[in-house]
Amino acid sequence: MKEMNKFFYKVLLIFFVFSAQTESKVLSIGSAEAKVTIKVFSSLTCPHCASFHSNIYEKLKDEYISKGLVKFEHHAFPLDLAALNAEVLVRCHDNNEKKFELLTEIYNKQTTWAVGSD
């Protein structure tokens, strides 16, 4: 029975990931005319992704994205159900700037909300 539940959750996760990607646009910030596009595939429960967002993304935003030199794309790659649910919350907002602000807040508080066994 446990194996069946794990299988069900994996299939459900894959379904939601693919349906979310096809129904919504990519989260992007920066100029559409930028010559450089950075595509990041991340999970909102991954500590390495949080580190990247807190350290690297913020520098990119200040030095390149805000100046129109780089377009930055966030692609959802949820590794568990908590990350998937967090992505759903991010995509509820209709303003990309606000979505990225929410991503920053989620990553900043990841050690608080992304813990537990379920």
Side-chain angles (χ1 to χ4, degrees):
M1 186 68 173
K2 250 185 177 178
E3 291 299 315
M4 188 64 161
N5 284 340
K6 286 181 183 179
F7 175 76
F8 174 76
Y9 282 122
K10 286 178 184 177
V11 170
L12 189 62
L13 178 67
I14 291 168
F15 171 77
F16 280 120
V17 169
F18 285 113
S19 66
Q21 289 294 331
T22 58
E23 291 177 11
S24 66
K25 295 181 180 179
V26 173
L27 266 65
S28 66
I29 191 169
S31 173
E33 287 80 35
K35 292 183 180 181
V36 175
T37 300
I38 298 173
K39 297 181 179 187
V40 174
F41 295 80
S42 64
S43 175
L44 297 179
T45 55
C46 171
H48 303 290
C49 296
S51 176
F52 172 85
H53 192 85
S54 299
N55 299 315
I56 307 300
Y57 166 75
E58 291 300 327
K59 289 179 186 174
L60 285 172
K61 187 173 98 177
D62 294 339
E63 296 176 21
Y64 299 100
I65 298 169
S66 63
K67 295 177 183 175
L69 301 172
V70 170
K71 178 182 173 186
F72 185 90
E73 294 181 355
H74 167 83
H75 294 265
F77 192 79
L79 298 174
D80 52 35
L81 193 55
L84 178 64
N85 288 331
E87 282 292 343
V88 170
L89 289 174
V90 168
R91 295 179 185 268
C92 286
H93 212 292
D94 58 352
N95 180 322
N96 269 353
E97 296 280 337
K98 296 290 183 183
K99 287 178 183 181
F100 275 92
E101 288 176 20
L102 184 55
L103 276 176
T104 299
E105 193 64 27
I106 286 171
Y107 277 129
N108 287 341
K109 296 186 178 186
Q110 182 188 75
T111 57
T112 304
W113 69 267
V115 293
S117 63
D118 221 344

